[in-house]
Amino acid sequence: MTEPVTPSVPENARPGRRFPWPGGLSARLLLLTALFVAIAGAVILPPALAYFEEQWLLDRVRAAELASTIADADPERRVTDRVSQQLLDQAGVVIVALEVDGARRLVLPTEPRGLKIKPPYLVDLRRQNPGSWLAAPFFTLKSAPGSMVRVMAEPRFRQEAEFVEIVLPDAKLKADLVATLGRLAGVTIFVAALAGGLIYLSLNFLLVRPMQRITQAMERFRANPEDPAARVVVSRRRDEIGRAERELDMMQSDLITALQAKARLAALGEAVAKINHDLRNMLTSAQMASDRLAALGDPKVAQALPRLERALDRAITLASDVMAYGKSKEPAPALRTTPLRAALDMAAEDAGLLPSGVALETVIDGREQVVADPDQLHRILTNLLRNAREAIEGAPDRGGKGRVFVELRRAEGMSILRLSDDGPGVPEKARNNLFQPFVGSVRRGGTGLGLAIARELAQGHGGDLALVETGPGGSVFDLTLAGVPEPLPEAPPEPAKPKAKSKP
C-alpha cells in the first residue's frame, strides 16, 4: 500500500490569501447565507425609510391643511395669536401657506410678528424622482441640529389651492427616522437570522452532509481500498448527489477489480520470472543434448532434429516475450531512417518464412525507407510475420504453404505498411481482445503477447497497429509509422568492363 503524499506547502501557508476564510464547506455556507440575507435586508432599508418619511410629512401637511380651514372659517379672516399657536402646535408646523390663483398666501400665522426662522431645505412631494426619494431620509438624518424643512404637496381639502406649503422643524422627523431605522434593522436582523438559519439547515441537510459522506468515503478508500467499510453508501436519491454516489460506487468497484487484477499480474510476473530462470537452464541443457544428437550422424535423428530445434526456438521466444512484456515500460525509440525492404527480409528470416512454405511477397522497392527504431521495428515485423506463418501452418487444409504480402503507401505524413496473409483469419471470439495481453491469443497455448507488444511499440513511434479486416480468406493488418522519408538515391550504374582483344 502506498503512503499518502504530504503536500509540500501547508494549507494555512499558501500565498495570495489576504483575508482569513474558513476551510469547511459548512462554515462557508453559513457565512455566505448570512451575508446574502443581510445584503437583501440592507437593500430593503432605503425604500422603507423613504416611504416612512413621505407618509410622515404628508400627515403633517394634511394636519396643517385642516388647520388652515379653521383659520379661514373666521368671517373677518382674523385669528388670535393664542388660537393660531394652538393650531400650529396641533399640526406640528411653524408656517402654513397656500398658492391660490398664482398668489402665495400665508394662512398661519397670519402675522409672524418678527418670527425668525432658519432657511429651510425643500422637500417637494409633488414631483420626486426615485433617486431623490430614496436619498431624502439620509439627507434628513445628516442635517444640522435645529434645521427646518419646507414641504410642498398637492392639496386634499383646499381644492381652490394649487399646493399647500408648510415649514416645520425636522428634529421630530429625525428622531422618528432613527427609531424607525432601529426597528427596521432589528426586524431585518431577525429575518436574516431566521431565513439564513433555515436556508443553512436545508442546504446543510441536502448538500453539505451528503458531500461530507462522499468525501469521507473517498478518503477512507484512498487510505485502504481493501476495506469494505470504505465503500460509499449509495442512497435512493435521484438528483445530482445520488448520481455522484452511484458513479463513485461504480468507480470504486472498477478500481477494486483493477487492483485485484494488478495484484494477480504482479504475482504472475514474479512466478514467471522464477519459471523463466529455471526454463533457461532447461533450454540450455536441451540445446546441449541437441548438439550431441546432431553429432551422432544418425539419419533418423537428423530427420527429427529440425522439429526439436524449432520447438526449442519457440520456447526461447516465448520466454523472451513474457519477460519483455513484464518490463514496466518500453524504452523510447531511437528514430532514424531505416531501409524497409532490408528490415522485412531480416524479420521474415527470423519469423521462419521460407519460399518453400509460408513465403514473403512484396512490391516494396529496395530504396524505400521509414522513420523507426531499427530494433523495435524488427520486433514488430517479426511478431506480425510469425503470427501469420503460425496461422497458415495451423490450418489443416493448407499443407503448411501460403503467402504474406506486404505493401507500402503514404498518406498525410504517415507511412502505412499493410500486411495481408491468406490464412484462416482471426476467430471471432478473439477479435475483441486481439491486442490484450494473455487474453488475445488466437492459437492454442499462446500468450497473446506478440500483438500486444507490437502495438505498444507502434504507438511509441507515434503510429498504431490495427486489424483492418479478417475472414476465411485471410487477415489484413495496417502498421502506421509517423514520417515520410525520402527514398534512398539510386545507385549509379557500374562502368562497363572493356572487352578483351582477340588474338591475331
Side-chain angles (χ1 to χ4, degrees):
M1 186 186 303
T2 58
E3 295 293 334
V5 180
T6 304
S8 58
V9 181
E11 188 71 19
N12 57 358
R14 292 182 179 177
R17 181 179 295 179
R18 299 182 179 180
F19 303 101
W21 184 247
L25 181 61
S26 179
R28 293 185 181 185
L29 179 62
L30 177 60
L31 288 178
L32 290 176
T33 303
L35 177 62
F36 292 152
V37 175
I39 292 175
V43 172
I44 297 173
L45 282 177
L49 287 176
Y51 179 78
F52 173 82
E53 179 176 309
E54 182 181 28
Q55 295 301 315
W56 194 92
L57 293 175
L58 279 175
D59 291 342
R60 299 302 182 273
V61 170
R62 300 309 170 212
E65 189 179 358
L66 285 173
S68 70
T69 60
I70 297 174
D72 288 343
D74 185 4
E76 298 181 0
R77 296 196 179 267
R78 294 182 61 84
V79 179
T80 63
D81 292 343
R82 184 173 61 84
V83 174
S84 176
Q85 188 62 41
Q86 288 178 352
L87 293 175
L88 292 173
D89 291 342
Q90 289 177 358
V93 299
V94 175
I95 296 175
V96 180
L98 297 175
E99 179 83 13
V100 180
D101 296 331
R104 184 173 177 272
R105 181 168 62 87
L106 191 64
V107 180
L108 293 172
T110 55
E111 295 179 2
R113 295 181 181 178
L115 180 66
K116 294 182 179 181
I117 301 176
K118 291 183 178 181
Y121 58 90
L122 176 64
V123 177
D124 192 348
L125 298 180
R126 298 173 300 169
R127 56 183 75 88
Q128 280 187 309
N129 58 57
S132 62
W133 180 71
L134 291 173
F138 301 98
F139 183 82
T140 301
L141 291 172
K142 292 175 59 178
S143 64
S147 298
M148 308 293 289
V149 55
R150 176 186 170 197
V151 184
M152 302 174 67
E154 297 287 343
R156 175 181 292 181
F157 307 109
R158 307 295 297 267
Q159 299 298 328
E160 75 280 4
E162 297 178 7
F163 64 84
V164 179
E165 180 180 353
I166 63 173
V167 177
L168 71 160
D170 68 350
K172 178 62 176 174
L173 174 60
K174 189 182 299 184
D176 290 347
L177 280 175
V178 172
T180 303
L181 179 61
R183 289 194 300 270
L184 290 176
V187 172
T188 302
I189 293 173
F190 173 76
V191 173
L194 180 62
L198 292 176
I199 295 174
Y200 166 73
L201 292 176
S202 301
L203 294 179
N204 191 59
F205 176 76
L206 293 175
L207 295 177
V208 177
R209 288 194 176 182
M211 289 302 300
Q212 288 176 346
R213 289 196 300 268
I214 293 175
T215 304
Q216 291 171 0
M218 294 171 65
E219 291 173 347
R220 291 196 303 266
F221 185 80
R222 178 177 176 270
N224 186 10
E226 299 177 357
D227 184 8
R231 297 289 296 274
V232 65
V233 179
V234 181
S235 64
R236 297 183 179 180
R237 297 177 59 165
R238 297 184 178 181
D239 55 4
E240 286 76 6
I241 297 294
R243 291 175 56 189
E245 291 173 346
R246 290 189 292 272
E247 291 296 329
L248 178 59
D249 180 65
M250 289 188 291
M251 184 187 69
Q252 288 178 338
S253 300
D254 294 341
L255 285 176
I256 289 175
T257 302
L259 290 174
Q260 291 174 351
K262 185 177 180 181
R264 288 196 297 268
L265 287 176
L268 176 62
E270 185 178 356
V272 167
K274 296 177 181 178
I275 294 172
N276 185 73
H277 180 270
D278 296 335
L279 183 60
R280 286 184 177 181
N281 294 333
M282 297 176 188
L283 293 176
T284 301
S285 301
Q287 284 181 335
M288 293 175 61
S290 173
D291 294 339
R292 293 175 182 175
L293 289 175
L296 294 177
D298 190 340
K300 294 183 178 180
V301 172
Q303 184 179 0
L305 193 59
R307 295 182 60 187
L308 175 62
E309 291 177 347
R310 285 196 298 270
L312 291 174
D313 291 340
R314 290 174 182 173
I316 293 173
T317 301
L318 175 61
S320 300
D321 287 346
V322 171
M323 294 305 296
Y325 188 79
K327 295 179 181 179
S328 60
K329 187 178 181 181
E330 291 286 348
L335 301 178
R336 62 174 181 266
T337 53
T338 303
L340 181 57
R341 182 61 182 270
L344 275 172
D345 293 339
M346 292 176 61
E349 182 179 355
D350 289 348
L353 271 64
L354 299 172
S356 59
V358 179
L360 172 67
E361 297 182 7
T362 180
V363 293
I364 298 175
D365 189 88
R367 297 181 296 124
E368 291 290 350
Q369 298 187 103
V370 293
V371 179
D373 184 310
D375 294 335
Q376 295 188 7
L377 178 62
H378 178 77
R379 292 172 61 188
I380 297 173
L381 296 176
T382 302
N383 279 321
L384 292 173
L385 296 176
R386 182 188 298 115
N387 285 350
R389 177 182 62 80
E390 291 175 350
I392 294 172
E393 291 178 348
D397 57 343
R398 300 300 301 273
K401 294 184 178 297
R403 73 181 186 94
V404 180
F405 181 74
V406 183
E407 58 181 333
L408 175 67
R409 58 188 179 92
R410 316 282 191 177
E412 299 179 356
M414 307 293 286
S415 299
I416 304 173
L417 195 63
R418 173 160 291 188
L419 296 91
S420 310
D421 63 63
D422 55 359
V426 179
E428 185 175 357
K429 63 180 182 180
R431 294 174 189 173
N432 294 332
N433 301 317
L434 189 61
F435 297 100
Q436 298 296 322
F438 304 109
V439 294
S441 177
V442 297
R443 62 184 178 85
R444 188 175 181 180
T447 61
L449 289 175
L451 290 177
I453 294 173
R455 188 178 197 183
E456 182 180 355
L457 294 175
Q459 291 175 347
H461 282 70
D464 200 2
L465 175 63
L467 175 65
V468 178
E469 59 178 316
T470 186
S475 301
V476 179
F477 287 85
D478 272 359
L479 171 62
T480 306
L481 300 173
V484 181
E486 295 291 333
L488 291 170
E490 187 174 359
E494 294 183 2
K497 296 181 180 180
K499 293 182 180 181
K501 294 181 179 181
S502 57
K503 295 182 181 180

